[in-house]
């Protein structure tokens, strides 16, 4: 029997209806549409306004979209990995609720937190389960309700993030398609550059932590930018070299949508001169953390052809980062 590789065989996504534009942010903080567009590439983001709905809602909608499009019987799903930094609750894994709500009655599920690299790490984990031969259908979801952890009076963070979710189904492939290689990295040098300081075991919630607004995302943007540019570009170039890929061999760059300038720097380093190969939807959704990569796959799915070479790249808090080389497995 041929070697088992783990292929993406279906994609789904969901973004909430409410739009938060740069113009609307001008009313909230001291910023301008021009500044945000020039420094990040973002024009608008989606916000899940309903206070009774958490990240599970976004993830459930994305999973249902995938199920509808692929005619998947949810009872056949073996495992659901939910990448998120905004679980519904700190304890009681959100993925478990997602599994029950979509009718994945035979699946087990858990959450995976690696900040903006959660989906890439989740894809790696899902692929390993498939390659082992132990499981046949693994759903990997990236979902975040970033608006729940953003301080909308902090102009250095509120302009960046948005809410959304995306999902992929991973299945065994016997033609050599799917995940080919990956380089995953982490370094706690970034522990304090992008964080929510309070609410964990180190600094439990108190009146003081609330008064000091320590439950929202704090970011040293300049430092994160510097590390993101060099590290994401480095692993993307390294994975090309290691797999003897030239820029012409690559059909698509699927890069974390944090800042257009970071994506451009990565594409440059890969000598991807053809802009149409660089997937981009940051202008519409901003940075949706765990959801950026599957949201890109969903937006561009119809353009992918069986056998296309995709390079995934991500960078996030922690720091966590990495790149993956995947051969697309189907024509839509
Ligand atoms: O997904 C996880 C990983 N996260 C990232 O990859 C984010 C990485 N960082 C970035 O994308 C960028 O650093 C930001 C978009 C966050 C900021 O852009 P920047 O070009 O690095 O700006 P800066 O922080 O160096 O600030 C430049 C100036 C400052 O003013 P002064 O000190 O030069 O007078 C800021 O106070 O821009 C000011 N500024 C703003 N001005 C208008 C900061 N935020 C804003 C704003 N509107 N929203």
């Amino acid at each position: 029997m041929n070697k088992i590789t783990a292929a993406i065989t279906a994609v789904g996504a969901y973004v909430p209806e409410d739009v938060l534009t740069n113009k609307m942010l001008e009313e909230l903080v001291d910023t301008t549409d021009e500044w945000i567009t020039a420094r990040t590439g973002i024009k608008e983001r989606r916000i899940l306004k309903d206070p009774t709905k958490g990240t599970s809602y976004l993830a459930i909608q994305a999973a249902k979209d995938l199920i509808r499009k692929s005619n998947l019987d949810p009872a056949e799903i073996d495992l659901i990995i939910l990448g998120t930094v905004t679980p519904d609750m700190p304890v009681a894994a959100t993925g478990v609720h997602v599994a029950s709500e979509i009718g994945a009655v035979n699946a087990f599920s858990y959450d995976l937190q690696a900040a903006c690299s959660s989906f890439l790490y989740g894809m790696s984990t899902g692929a390993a389960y498939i390659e082992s031969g132990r499981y046949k259908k693994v759903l990997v979801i990236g979902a975040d309700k970033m608006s729940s952890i953003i301080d909308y009076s902090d102009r250095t963070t509120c302009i960046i993030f948005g809410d959304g979710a995306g999902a992929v189904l991973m299945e065994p492939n016997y033609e050599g398609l799917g995940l080919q290689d990956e380089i995953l990295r982490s370094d706690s040098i970034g522990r304090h550059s992008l964080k929510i300081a309070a609410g964990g075991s180190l600094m439990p919630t108190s009146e003081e932590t609330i008064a000091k607004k320590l439950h929202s995302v704090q970011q040293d943007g300049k430092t994160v930018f510097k590390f993101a540019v060099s590290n994401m570009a480095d692993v993307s170039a390294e994975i090309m070299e290691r797999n003897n890929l030239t820029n012409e061999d690559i059909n698509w760059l699927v890069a974390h949508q944090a800042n257009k300038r970071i994506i451009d720097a990565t594409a440059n380093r890969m000598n991807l001169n053809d802009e149409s190969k660089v997937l981009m939807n940051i202008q519409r959704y901003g940075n949706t953390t765990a959801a950026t990569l599957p949201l890109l796959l969903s937006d561009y799915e119809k353009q992918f052809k069986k056998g296309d070479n995709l390079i995934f790249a991500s960078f996030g808090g922690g720091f966590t980062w990495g790149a993956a080389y995947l051969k697309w497995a189907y024509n839509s």
Side-chain angles (χ1 to χ4, degrees):
M1 197 168 83
N2 289 345
K3 184 176 161 234
I4 305 172
T5 48
I8 292 177
T9 56
V11 175
Y14 175 77
V15 288
E17 274 173 24
D18 277 301
V19 176
L20 177 62
T21 64
N22 290 352
K23 282 280 168 208
M24 292 158 89
L25 282 168
E26 287 181 2
E27 307 293 316
L28 296 178
V29 289
D30 181 15
T31 193
T32 59
D33 175 31
E34 292 72 29
W35 191 94
I36 301 171
T37 307
R39 306 308 289 169
T40 70
I42 302 167
K43 296 298 284 184
E44 59 187 44
R45 16 20 238 116
R46 300 300 183 96
I47 304 293
L48 179 56
K49 280 202 171 152
D50 185 340
T52 68
K53 293 187 167 79
T55 291
S56 64
Y57 177 80
L58 301 167
I60 289 164
Q61 302 312 310
K64 283 184 173 171
D65 182 48
L66 182 149
I67 288 165
R68 197 169 40 238
K69 280 166 59 187
S70 60
N71 286 320
L72 171 69
D73 175 0
E76 288 182 6
I77 301 172
D78 298 306
L79 161 64
I80 297 177
I81 300 171
L82 175 64
T84 187
V85 299
T86 53
D88 283 2
M89 300 180 282
V91 177
T94 303
V96 174
H97 181 55
V98 174
S100 296
E101 289 296 306
I102 64 169
V105 289
N106 296 308
F108 71 105
S109 178
Y110 56 87
D111 298 353
L112 185 156
Q113 207 275 54
C116 295
S117 300
S118 299
F119 181 80
L120 189 70
Y121 284 21
M123 209 168 76
S124 160
T125 310
Y129 280 115
I130 299 279
E131 289 158 4
S132 75
R134 194 176 301 176
Y135 301 113
K136 299 258 183 297
K137 290 188 194 300
V138 178
L139 203 58
V140 182
I141 305 175
D144 269 305
K145 184 182 174 182
M146 292 305 292
S147 60
S148 67
I149 53 168
I150 293 299
D151 172 2
Y152 284 93
S153 66
D154 175 4
R155 69 174 183 174
T156 68
T157 52
C158 74
I159 55 140
I160 299 170
F161 295 98
D163 302 340
V168 302
L169 179 66
M170 301 194 84
E171 292 187 90
N173 185 282
Y174 304 96
E175 300 175 72
L177 300 171
L179 189 66
Q180 307 293 307
D181 194 14
E182 65 184 25
I183 300 171
L184 303 181
R185 299 269 184 267
S186 65
D187 189 338
S188 78
I189 194 171
R191 186 164 155 90
H192 296 292
S193 302
L194 177 49
K195 66 179 178 186
I196 295 179
S201 57
L202 196 58
M203 200 191 294
T205 309
S206 66
E207 283 182 16
E208 194 188 346
T209 61
I210 294 169
K212 287 185 170 166
K213 293 188 170 180
L214 297 181
H215 295 273
S216 306
V217 172
Q218 295 165 285
Q219 176 175 239
D220 169 4
K222 257 193 179 33
T223 302
V224 178
F225 185 88
K226 200 179 74 187
F227 278 94
V229 165
S230 60
N231 287 332
M232 211 160 93
D234 278 355
V235 285
S236 305
E238 194 183 333
I239 205 159
M240 284 173 71
E241 213 172 297
R242 182 155 113 171
N243 291 279
N244 298 316
L245 296 168
T246 68
N247 54 351
E248 298 197 346
D249 299 320
I250 292 164
N251 300 97
W252 310 101
L253 170 62
V254 191
H256 175 53
Q257 308 282 292
N259 187 318
K260 185 174 183 299
R261 290 184 290 146
I262 300 173
I263 302 164
D264 289 343
T266 302
N268 270 342
R269 180 71 174 282
M270 296 166 72
N271 288 323
L272 277 189
N273 319 316
D274 182 353
E275 254 187 35
S276 66
K277 291 182 172 184
V278 182
L279 275 51
M280 195 83 74
N281 58 15
I282 191 170
Q283 65 282 6
R284 284 185 291 140
Y285 307 138
N287 181 350
T288 55
T289 304
T292 60
L293 300 181
L295 273 175
L296 284 172
L297 295 179
S298 172
D299 280 358
Y300 284 83
E301 182 189 19
K302 289 203 163 59
Q303 296 185 46
F304 300 156
K305 299 268 174 297
K306 187 175 174 179
D308 276 0
N309 290 323
L310 279 65
I311 298 290
F312 290 75
S314 79
F315 186 87
F319 293 130
T320 56
W321 72 99
Y325 165 34
L326 178 136
K327 278 187 176 291
W328 198 249
Y330 62 95
N331 297 315
S332 296

